[in-house]
Amino acid sequence: MPEFEPGNQILFKGVSVSWLQAFNQASMNMQTANAIRNQQEWNKLNQERKDMEAFQKALEREDPAAMNDYGYFLYSQGQKEQGYQWFTKAVLKGEAIALSNFTWFKLFDGEHDDAITLYDACRNNLKFNVNDYQLANIDSNYILNNLAAGNRVEDAETQWLINGAKTGHLESKFYPAVLAHQAKDFAKRDKILAGLNKGEIKKIHDDLLEYQMAAKGWFKKWSADAFKMLNSLN
């Protein structure tokens, strides 16, 4: 993929323009009597310009956090492949959040082998934003992608439970209940769910509703089944 250039398009005030065009528009508006009425509004536009220039420079020096943020922006704008490329570049630089994003969106898009491959290559080489919670999130995404790909994950329940207890990562605390339900071990399922408070159950319920609507393929069904399980118990 081409390197980031100042002329790349972004959304500025809801309009697709380049980084430099964004500031040029603001400058021209200063000359219009009714466009910018006071110094405070100009200061805000000037700060936006400075922020964009700083972000551009961060991308040019291949800052991992900036590359992840740009990947997220592109993905959210429907430019998924470009987004994935920037996520990958950030992961190769050691950015943990980018691996979380890459494996999560690949789960949603049904491209599980890509998530597994990048995780296997980079999970132990992360340098930035590495903490127990972030690693639990990444590991959870990895387990889900493996299950989706039909791979046997012998220690999935154990790994989830350990990470959930250690970090409070909500999906790691909840998903073992789904596995127990699928195995018809309802006593284990109920014991796991009893360890979640009402706020956590509501958060999981709301998330699953969103996931089953937005995801494709395997994860759509997994989320719908988990949602149905929760509703049947309330």
Side-chain angles (χ1 to χ4, degrees):
M1 181 179 180
E3 295 296 321
F4 179 83
E5 297 177 356
N8 280 1
Q9 298 295 303
I10 61 166
L11 287 179
F12 182 77
K13 299 293 185 182
V15 181
S16 180
V17 294
S18 73
W19 298 100
L20 296 181
Q21 286 173 330
F23 184 55
N24 289 338
Q25 281 187 216
S27 298
M28 287 187 291
N29 286 345
M30 275 291 288
Q31 300 173 18
T32 305
N34 295 325
I36 299 178
R37 297 181 181 278
N38 54 53
Q39 188 65 37
Q40 184 178 8
E41 188 170 349
W42 168 246
N43 289 342
K44 180 180 178 181
L45 288 173
N46 194 41
Q47 185 59 51
E48 289 176 349
R49 187 263 304 177
K50 291 179 180 178
D51 290 344
M52 287 188 291
E53 287 182 345
F55 186 67
Q56 176 188 329
K57 290 177 181 178
L59 284 176
E60 290 171 348
R61 65 173 182 268
E62 298 189 337
D63 176 79
M67 289 193 290
N68 170 71
D69 290 347
Y70 192 50
Y72 195 98
F73 168 77
L74 291 170
Y75 186 94
S76 68
Q77 295 298 308
Q79 301 179 57
K80 291 187 176 183
E81 288 308 312
Q82 294 94 326
Y84 280 131
Q85 290 181 43
W86 282 94
F87 285 145
T88 301
K89 290 175 70 173
V91 171
L92 293 175
K93 289 283 187 178
E95 176 55 62
I97 296 176
L99 186 56
S100 285
N101 286 334
F102 185 94
T103 52
W104 181 248
F105 288 132
K106 286 293 185 179
L107 177 66
F108 261 67
D109 291 336
E111 299 172 359
H112 310 296
D113 289 341
D114 291 346
I116 293 166
T117 298
L118 191 64
Y119 175 102
D120 286 341
C122 300
R123 164 62 169 78
N124 294 327
N125 298 319
L126 300 173
K127 303 175 184 177
F128 308 106
N129 292 306
V130 180
N131 55 63
D132 289 339
Y133 186 90
Q134 192 65 248
L135 294 177
N137 189 50
I138 293 169
D139 292 343
S140 181
N141 293 348
Y142 180 70
I143 292 171
L144 289 168
N145 275 292
N146 270 285
L147 293 174
N151 299 330
R152 184 175 177 81
V153 187
E154 295 183 0
D155 63 342
E157 179 182 322
T158 300
Q159 187 173 352
W160 263 328
L161 287 172
I162 290 174
N163 285 343
K166 182 179 181 181
T167 69
H169 183 254
L170 186 52
E171 291 176 353
S172 295
K173 294 168 66 176
F174 170 73
Y175 284 148
V178 180
L179 294 181
H181 182 80
Q182 292 174 345
K184 300 187 184 305
D185 189 341
F186 303 129
K188 179 186 284 187
R189 174 203 67 193
D190 293 345
K191 181 179 180 180
I192 293 169
L193 292 177
L196 302 177
N197 61 47
K198 290 183 179 180
E200 290 174 323
I201 291 292
K202 184 180 186 308
K203 178 67 165 62
I204 283 290
H205 183 276
D206 293 346
D207 287 347
L208 290 172
L209 180 60
E210 176 186 342
Y211 298 163
Q212 66 180 303
M213 295 175 63
K216 298 178 181 178
W218 183 91
F219 192 54
K220 184 180 188 71
K221 185 177 186 305
W222 166 277
S223 300
D225 290 346
F227 184 80
K228 183 179 179 180
M229 177 197 77
L230 273 185
N231 281 344
S232 71
L233 299 173
N234 293 331

